[in-house]
Amino acid sequence: MLKRVHFEPSLLPYLLVAPQIIVTIIFFIWPASQALFQSMLVEDAFGLKTEFVWFQNFEELFADPHYWGSFQRTFIFSFLVAGLSMSIALLLATMADRVIKGSGIYRTLLIWPYAVAPAAAGALFFFLFNPTLGFIPYTLQFFGYDWNHKINGDEAMALIIFAAAWKQIAYNFLFFLAGLQSIPKSLIEAAAIDGAGPSRRFWTIIFPLLSPTTFFLLVVNVVYAFFETFGIVDAMTAGGPANSTQILVYKVYNDGFVGLDLGGSAAQSAVLMAIVVALTVFQFRFVEKKVEY
Amino acid sequence: MIENRPLLKIFSHIILILGVIMVAFPLWVTFVASTHDATRMTELPLPLLPGSHFFENLDRVLFVGLYGGDASGMGYMLLNSTIMALMIAIGKIIISLLSAFAIVYFRFPFRMFFFWMIFLTLMLPVEVRILPTFEVVANLGMLDTYWGLTVPLIASATATFMFRQVFLTIPDEMLEAARIDGAGPLRFFKDILLPMSRTNIAALFVILFIYGWNQYLWPLLVTTDQSMYTVVMQIGNMLEAGEEAPQWHLIMMITLLAIIPPVLVVVAMQKLFVQGLTETEK
């Protein structure tokens, strides 16, 4: 933690931490505690009177089927995004680990989507899947399938999953590739001498040895799908049709800024904070230090 | 390579090429759309090969604006995005460097308290505290300013932890030697710590620049004045407009302009990018 050799105590360290601490207090700690406080207030329709109601907002929230619907959708969304992008990334990383020539070029060509903003990724897929003009609906129509995510909620959900997963392939690919390259070659050689073919080697040696990376990526991907996909949802579906793509982060925004239900939105913020804390603790407790680069 | 299996090798290349195509296809379609004119972009099927209107569309988007808009180009939004990304990246690096230096190299009361306070910010992404943070910024009169756009996003636990990690690997003898030579804390920071963590700073810069450039929700909330819009948040506005009066060639041009700068940064500084990604996640 602290260096064995260090400087004498003085005013200087306080000045050094001051900028970060001031920003943290004003823009993190204060708003977060405000959110917790507001989550126990109810404001009347004209915003004239506020009343302290303890946990009534939470009770209403958990009694609200819309909220549970949003919860359920968020879980489905997160795990499908994680599953889809991780399986594609693992397949590509395994292949890239196998080829010797050109693996650098493949890497460059596969990692750039990391830099694309979620909202921009949304725009790409919005255009690609546009029901009247898009390339994919046009193609699907020849197979007799009528794609319209503006009416069909399941298709809208599929659309945001595609866009979110597409963007995350790059990240997963990099970490899987690093994980694969850190597996000792001697283990794989030994298995090859014993007559195990490539697919058997993968499932009995490589995949189990990769499990720390997989586990780490699962947590990171779920966090990503929970909190960083706001831009994708807002740009593509704005939560619709009929709330079918309203994930939790979007609902906080929508109820607070559009619906102006401050107490309810703050209660949702508090629940989200609890989820982030749980995920962060989980990540530090079980995942950290198990991944080698 | 463990053994020579030519068929498997070809298979691997095929899968990889398919992967590259799948990943690049949405961007290709966008690029093609930005090179055609308005009429071509309303005819089915849409083109898959580039047309000849790229520079015309670029000029229109940068200096004139969408048809039926308020006749102002969007070039300034690129400038806003750049300023925002740079302010966030540089600001984060500076305050994290300073606080990591204090926490690693000084013993002072409340040291651990400050450390845990910074750690807390790791758990509070802007998405979960948007409403109260917005109120704070509004009360401080920081709406529609660059400060309002950047400062609330500037505190970063990950950057502080990363620099702490870097400083901890720097041998103690460095400080002893510097002290014998009569260097004070600030001199030591400037002449020894900064040069020794140069590549870490660069790697972090790449990651943070992308992070800042790609912000969407926050600019959407704190800017109401059009002259403060960033290019990424403009995408959302335009997709709505695109439904009413399709100008896909221009909308896709803006999308392209929002995508290219951070992608160029990643591709040009790939090594630093990978280093930054793995370091900040530890």
Side-chain angles (χ1 to χ4, degrees), chain A residues 28-255:
Chain A
F28 286 75
I29 312 248
W30 170 251
S33 49
Q34 277 300 99
L36 291 180
F37 180 61
Q38 264 172 7
S39 69
M40 298 181 189
L41 297 179
V42 166
E43 208 168 73
D44 69 7
F46 305 103
L48 299 173
K49 217 172 57 182
T50 46
E51 200 190 331
F52 192 77
V53 292
W54 288 105
F55 295 102
Q56 194 187 317
N57 283 323
F58 291 94
E59 281 162 22
E60 278 171 19
L61 197 62
F62 290 127
D64 182 3
H66 288 294
Y67 190 65
W68 287 113
S70 176
F71 232 104
Q72 195 187 353
R73 275 191 292 278
T74 311
F75 272 97
I76 294 172
F77 172 70
S78 305
F79 282 98
L80 286 180
V81 167
L84 187 63
S85 72
M86 281 170 68
S87 27
I88 294 173
L90 179 58
L91 174 70
L92 293 174
T94 313
M95 296 301 151
D97 187 41
R98 213 189 280 282
V99 304
I100 301 159
K101 277 193 194 124
S103 71
I105 299 170
Y106 286 127
R107 195 174 80 161
T108 310
L109 290 173
L110 285 170
I111 62 169
W112 62 266
Y114 176 86
V116 174
L124 297 185
F125 279 78
F126 189 82
F127 181 58
L128 201 60
F129 281 85
N130 188 289
T132 44
L133 281 169
F135 181 80
I136 304 275
Y138 179 77
T139 316
L140 283 176
Q141 171 196 312
F142 288 106
F143 299 97
Y145 190 87
D146 199 13
W147 173 282
N148 193 342
H149 62 259
K150 284 178 188 141
I151 299 167
N152 187 325
D154 291 336
E155 287 172 2
M157 181 51 107
L159 186 63
I160 60 171
I161 289 171
F162 289 154
W166 173 81
K167 199 182 128 42
Q168 198 65 2
I169 288 175
Y171 186 91
N172 294 334
F173 174 79
L174 269 177
F175 277 83
F176 272 133
L177 191 60
L180 286 169
Q181 283 167 349
S182 72
I183 292 176
K185 288 281 170 283
S186 54
L187 286 177
I188 299 163
E189 276 161 16
I193 292 168
D194 285 349
S199 104
R200 195 183 160 107
R201 288 202 299 266
F202 179 80
W203 290 112
T204 56
I205 298 174
I206 299 176
F207 192 66
L209 282 175
L210 214 53
S211 59
T213 312
T214 313
F215 195 53
F216 160 80
L217 283 177
L218 186 65
V219 177
V220 171
N221 277 284
V222 168
V223 172
Y224 158 81
F226 256 78
F227 301 105
E228 286 165 47
T229 46
F230 176 87
I232 293 178
V233 177
D234 191 50
M236 288 211 279
T237 64
N243 293 344
S244 57
T245 53
Q246 197 173 53
I247 59 172
L248 289 171
V249 174
Y250 198 79
K251 196 168 160 59
V252 173
Y253 161 81
N254 206 39
D255 289 2

Side-chain angles (χ1 to χ4, degrees), chain B:
Chain B
M1 202 64 208
I2 312 294
E3 63 213 317
N4 195 14
R5 290 185 187 230
L7 269 180
L8 196 64
K9 209 167 169 181
I10 294 170
F11 176 74
S12 306
H13 280 284
I14 291 174
I15 294 281
L16 281 168
I17 290 167
L18 285 179
V20 169
I21 292 173
M22 187 186 71
V23 164
F25 185 66
L27 188 70
W28 174 253
V29 171
T30 300
F31 167 68
V32 169
S34 73
T35 61
H36 286 274
D37 60 5
T39 34
R40 181 65 191 91
M41 290 312 294
T42 55
E43 290 163 17
L44 278 171
L46 290 182
L48 277 178
L49 291 174
S52 57
H53 297 269
F54 183 79
F55 290 103
E56 191 184 306
N57 293 340
L58 184 64
D59 182 63
R60 172 118 210 152
V61 159
L62 287 181
F63 305 109
V64 186
L66 294 186
Y67 296 95
D70 50 2
S72 66
M74 294 168 186
Y76 69 89
M77 289 181 195
L78 288 172
L79 184 69
N80 282 345
S81 285
T82 313
I83 294 173
M84 177 175 163
L86 287 177
M87 278 175 78
I88 290 180
I90 295 170
K92 272 196 187 215
I93 287 174
I94 290 175
I95 67 171
S96 312
L97 268 172
L98 293 178
S99 56
F101 175 51
I103 282 168
V104 174
Y105 280 98
F106 291 87
R107 182 201 295 266
F108 58 103
F110 300 114
R111 200 177 119 261
M112 286 313 285
F113 174 73
F114 289 136
F115 181 77
W116 286 109
M117 204 178 213
I118 295 168
F119 183 82
L120 262 182
T121 60
L122 199 66
M123 304 186 178
L124 302 169
V126 74
E127 282 80 2
V128 308
R129 56 186 167 86
I130 35 175
L131 230 132
T133 315
F134 174 79
E135 277 168 14
V136 168
V137 173
N139 289 338
L140 291 174
M142 281 163 56
L143 295 181
D144 283 320
T145 63
Y146 287 118
W147 298 111
L149 268 180
T150 54
V151 177
L153 303 174
I154 246 172
S156 159
T158 39
T160 312
F161 287 161
M162 197 202 89
F163 285 126
R164 180 183 146 253
Q165 214 68 36
V166 172
F167 292 165
L168 286 176
T169 61
I170 290 175
D172 288 352
E173 286 75 13
M174 283 291 179
L175 177 56
E176 280 165 359
R179 282 230 290 228
I180 291 167
D181 288 346
L186 290 176
R187 182 74 192 258
F188 173 72
F189 179 69
K190 181 171 134 309
D191 286 344
I192 294 177
L193 281 189
L194 278 190
M196 286 188 80
S197 35
R198 216 170 37 209
T199 51
N200 304 87
I201 294 174
L204 194 64
F205 180 83
V206 172
I207 299 291
L208 293 179
F209 181 85
I210 296 167
Y211 166 84
W213 181 277
N214 289 348
Q215 285 302 315
Y216 177 78
L217 173 60
W218 190 244
L220 201 63
L221 297 180
V222 296
T223 60
T224 47
D225 181 0
Q226 205 175 355
S227 66
M228 289 301 297
Y229 283 6
T230 67
V231 63
V232 170
M233 67 167 284
Q234 180 64 6
I235 290 174
N237 297 341
M238 279 182 331
L239 287 180
E240 281 164 30
E243 286 303 286
E244 287 144 25
Q247 307 175 31
W248 287 111
H249 59 306
L250 299 182
I251 295 174
M252 289 295 112
M253 176 62 90
I254 279 276
T255 308
L256 208 57
L257 289 176
I259 290 175
I260 286 174
V263 167
L264 276 185
V265 169
V266 164
V267 173
M269 293 182 242
Q270 205 184 126
K271 222 174 141 189
L272 286 174
F273 164 69
V274 174
Q275 188 193 342
L277 209 58
T278 47
E279 267 176 357
T280 49
E281 278 302 341
K282 262 192 244 186

